[in-house]
Structures are given as C-alpha cells and as structure tokens.
Amino acid sequence: MTHRLTKRADHRQTQLTTAASDKLNAAQKRLTAKQNTLTATKAKLSAAIKQDPQAASQYKTQEAALAKQQAKLTVAQKSLTAQRQSLKKTSQLTYEIQSRNDYNSGYNQYGEDAKRIDVLANTFPIIFFAVAIMVTLITMTRMAEEKRQELGVLGALGYTKHDAMKVFIIYGVLAGLLGSAVGAWFGTSFLPRKIFAAYAANFTMPSFQTPPSLLWISVAVIISLLCATLPAIIVATKQLREVPAVLMAPKPPKSGSKVLLERIPGLWQHLSFNHKVTIRNLFRYKSRMLMTILGVLGCTALLITGFGIRDSLNGIVKTQYSDIIHYDVIGVFNPNATSASRKAYEKKVDDLKGVKNNTKVYYESVTAKPTDEVTNQSVSLIVPKSTKAFKKRRYPA
C-alpha cells in the first residue's frame, strides 16, 4: 500500500511540475515576444531621431512610455525567474491516509456510542432472557403439578392423554405467542427509539428506522414456545403414566432426609422449628431452590449493574472537572495577531470580574492512536509558558 501511494505521489508531483513549467514557458514566450516588439519599437524610434535630430524633443513622450514598458517587462522577467527557482525548490508531494475518524469528531463519537450500545446489547438481553426462561419454567412446572387431580378426573372420564394435555399445550402456545408479539414490538420499535433518542441528542440524524429482524424474532418465538410448553408437557406426561385413581389423590410429599447442617453438632439444636422446616424444604426441592437462587442472582446482577453504571458516570464527571481539569475557560487568540491586539486582549481578560487567575498556555487539539485501538483518539495538548506559574495556579483562562 505504501509503495502504491509513493508511486502515485511521484506521478502526481510530475504532473504538477510539468503543468507549472508549461505555464511558465508560455509566459516566458509572451514576455519574450513583448520584449522583441519593444526592442523593435526602440530601434525605429532611434532611427527616426537620427534622421531628424531637431524632432528629438517630440519623441520624448514615446521614449518615456517605452521606458515604462521596459521596466514592467523587467519586473515580469524577475518574477518568472523567481517562480522557476521556487518550482525547483518545491518539496516532494506526500499522501497521508486518514479515515473518517481522524478528521470527523462527530463521526468518531457516534461510532464510539454505537460500540457501547453494542456491548450492552450483547450482555443485558442474555440476563433478561435467562431470568424469563427460569420464571417460565417454574410457572409452567408448578401449573402442571397443580393440575394433577384434574388430569386424574379427565382420565377417569375416558379422555385420552393427548386430550388431557391440550390445556397445557394451548396455554403455553398462547402465552408464548402473546409474550413474543409484545416483546418483538418493544424490542424493534419502542426501546430502540428511546435509546437512539438518548444517544443521538447531540447529533443531527435523519429519521430513525428499525426494520424488524425476522431471524431473531423467530429464534425468540421458538425459545419462548419451548419454555412455555415443554415443562408442562413433560410433567403432565409423567403424571398421566399413573392410573386415574392415584392422580385424583393428593400427591404425597417427598420423603425427607437429614441435611448437612444436622450433622454439625451444636448448630441444629439452636435453630427454631420454622428455620428447620425451611432448610429441609430447600434441600428437599433442589430444582426449585436452584431456580430461585438463579433468578434472584440475575435480578440482583441487573440492579447492581444499573446502579453501578449511574454511580460510575457521576464519579467520572466529578473526577474530570474537579481533580483533573482545574480551569473553567480557555481563551484562544490568533498567534499571528499584532502586539497591540494581544495586549488589548490580555487587558480585557484581566478586567473581567469573574477571572481570579490566568496564565498563558499553548493549546492544540491533536490525535493519538494507541496500540490496542483501531481509531485515533482526540487529545487536548496544553503547554504552559511558565511551568512554575502553572503548578502554582493551575487555572489557565
């Protein structure tokens, strides 16, 4: 790539030099033609004066005009000579590769915001979806277990297993489709517009469009239907294997067994009866305990993440504008301005009532490219004229 750019720069340099030389040659030809014409006119005028010396005073006006033309031609010739020398001293043409991030700060900032949204979009939905799946699994499993006696009644009345499970299939399908439809609308229309409005407040953007993604909506619908129907069907299938008379009777509780805490001497005896029952139920229904723990874990993680992001952003503002930046205003003036203009500017700054301290600095916005980053980063370069005053005051204005 570098070789191609160098070759292209050399070719462009040759084109520009050739074009400039052609223009200078054409100007030289015109200047030479004018000089020849002027020389011929002078020769004719000299011959006329020699033939009639008494009429020399009459040709003084023409001689003065010819002298002025000669002076102009001399100046033009010097200018052409200077331009030729300047053309020879012209530096080599070089090309510099810059992406849009290098010269368009708005584009760069918008790209950074898009990356942040992308990171959040790849993290938060997973936690939300995992919590939703666990809640759905627990709800549908408990519903199937609570319908145990109704399944026994349907079996005793002669309904087939397929007919008895229709209630779970229809309920799961309707719940899955309704939830998927509402979630798809929120995910493709409502939430993206709110997020875009918050992030694009500082940009001028065209109308925001969110075309629905059929692929991801289909994946979400399939997972929702599976989570809403499979647990209930599996539980109902296990229950329908028993005879209707057993199903119509209440389900006997699981047999309890000693837990690990009972084996610790001196601990179990100090627990109350309610605490003992709660601990035994936790270990008796391990799947429910696991689902509950994972659900609380996900919700707690989301809450802590949300509050943590808020606190982190608030802390950044305080650190940036209290600990790092110790100035309120940067006044920029033209470095090529006259001495009188600079003094007038400095006097105006000194006369401002709100300015407590000020010092002179060199300020420039530069770009830097870290080794682990793809895009350039904007850096504000501040060089104080007096380091002692800068350390003492730290209030450039």
Side-chain angles (χ1 to χ4, degrees):
M1 185 67 180
T2 305
H3 177 69
R4 291 177 59 188
L5 286 177
T6 304
K7 188 176 180 181
R8 184 174 181 180
D10 294 339
H11 179 67
R12 183 57 177 167
Q13 179 77 21
T14 304
Q15 287 182 338
L16 294 176
T17 304
T18 303
S21 298
D22 293 340
K23 290 182 179 180
L24 290 176
N25 292 333
Q28 184 64 53
K29 289 181 179 180
R30 291 193 297 270
L31 187 61
T32 302
K34 291 181 180 180
Q35 183 64 50
N36 295 334
T37 303
L38 183 61
T39 303
T41 304
K42 286 182 177 181
K44 291 180 181 179
L45 185 61
S46 299
I49 292 173
K50 287 180 179 180
Q51 291 178 1
D52 189 6
Q54 296 179 354
S57 58
Q58 300 177 1
Y59 295 108
K60 287 183 177 180
T61 304
Q62 298 181 6
E63 288 179 348
L66 292 175
K68 290 182 180 180
Q69 293 181 11
Q70 183 63 51
K72 291 181 180 180
L73 291 177
T74 303
V75 172
Q77 183 63 48
K78 291 181 179 179
S79 176
L80 284 176
T81 304
Q83 291 180 16
R84 289 185 183 277
Q85 293 177 356
S86 175
L87 182 61
K88 293 179 180 179
K89 295 179 181 180
T90 303
S91 60
Q92 184 66 27
L93 184 66
T94 58
Y95 283 139
E96 183 180 355
I97 301 176
Q98 287 186 337
S99 63
R100 281 179 288 186
N101 291 326
D102 297 331
Y103 61 85
N104 193 332
S105 59
Y107 178 84
N108 188 18
Q109 183 180 354
Y110 188 79
E112 294 296 329
D113 292 341
K115 289 181 181 179
R116 297 187 189 99
I117 297 176
D118 185 59
V119 172
L120 295 177
N122 291 330
T123 305
F124 278 82
I126 297 176
I127 302 177
F128 281 118
F129 216 76
V131 173
I133 288 175
M134 288 186 290
V135 172
T136 305
L137 290 175
I138 295 173
T139 303
M140 297 305 296
T141 302
R142 292 294 299 273
M143 187 190 74
E145 292 176 352
E146 292 173 357
K147 297 290 183 179
R148 172 186 174 88
Q149 294 182 351
E150 295 181 9
L151 290 176
V153 172
L154 292 175
L157 294 175
Y159 285 91
T160 62
K161 295 181 179 180
H162 178 70
D163 293 333
M165 285 192 298
K166 279 183 179 180
V167 61
F168 303 106
I169 297 175
I170 295 174
Y171 183 88
V173 170
L174 291 178
L177 291 178
L178 182 60
S180 299
V182 177
W185 178 78
F186 267 93
T188 58
S189 179
F190 181 76
L191 291 178
R193 293 184 182 277
K194 295 297 181 182
I195 296 174
F196 179 81
Y199 273 89
N202 298 326
F203 302 98
T204 302
M205 301 295 294
S207 58
F208 182 62
Q209 298 180 359
T210 56
S213 176
L214 297 179
L215 174 62
W216 292 110
I217 293 177
S218 302
V219 172
V221 170
I222 292 173
I223 296 176
S224 301
L225 292 177
L226 292 177
C227 294
T229 56
L230 278 183
I233 292 175
I234 292 173
V235 174
T237 302
K238 291 181 179 179
Q239 293 179 352
L240 289 174
R241 292 175 182 173
E242 301 178 2
V243 295
V246 176
L247 291 177
M248 286 186 290
K251 183 179 180 180
K254 291 184 178 180
S255 58
S257 59
K258 287 187 176 183
V259 297
L260 180 62
L261 296 178
E262 296 184 45
R263 305 180 188 276
I264 301 177
L267 178 62
W268 187 256
Q269 289 77 7
H270 291 83
L271 296 177
S272 64
F273 176 76
N274 290 332
H275 290 167
K276 290 179 180 179
V277 173
T278 302
I279 293 173
R280 283 181 175 175
N281 286 334
L282 285 175
F283 287 94
R284 182 180 296 176
Y285 304 102
K286 295 182 179 61
S287 60
R288 297 180 185 176
M289 178 188 69
L290 180 62
M291 291 293 184
T292 303
I293 292 175
L294 293 178
V296 174
L297 184 150
C299 295
T300 305
L302 290 175
L303 288 174
I304 293 177
T305 303
F307 287 119
I309 292 175
R310 185 196 64 180
D311 295 339
S312 299
L313 294 177
N314 292 337
I316 288 175
V317 173
K318 181 180 180 300
T319 303
Q320 180 72 20
Y321 294 101
S322 298
D323 301 333
I324 299 176
I325 296 179
H326 297 275
Y327 57 85
D328 297 319
V329 178
I330 295 179
V332 182
F333 60 88
N334 185 7
N336 298 323
T338 61
S339 177
S341 299
R342 291 189 184 184
K343 290 181 180 180
Y345 179 83
E346 293 173 0
K347 185 178 182 303
K348 189 173 183 179
V349 172
D350 294 335
D351 294 341
L352 292 176
K353 296 181 180 180
V355 178
K356 297 180 180 179
N357 295 294
N358 65 84
T359 184
K360 295 180 180 179
V361 298
Y362 173 79
Y363 180 83
E364 184 179 358
S365 296
V366 298
T367 57
K369 187 174 183 180
T371 55
D372 55 344
E373 294 289 339
V374 178
T375 58
N376 292 340
Q377 302 296 319
S378 179
V379 179
S380 297
L381 178 64
I382 300 177
V383 182
K385 183 176 181 180
S386 174
T387 56
K388 294 182 180 180
F390 189 76
K391 290 180 180 179
K392 181 179 179 181
R393 297 176 180 176
R394 297 188 300 178
Y395 289 103

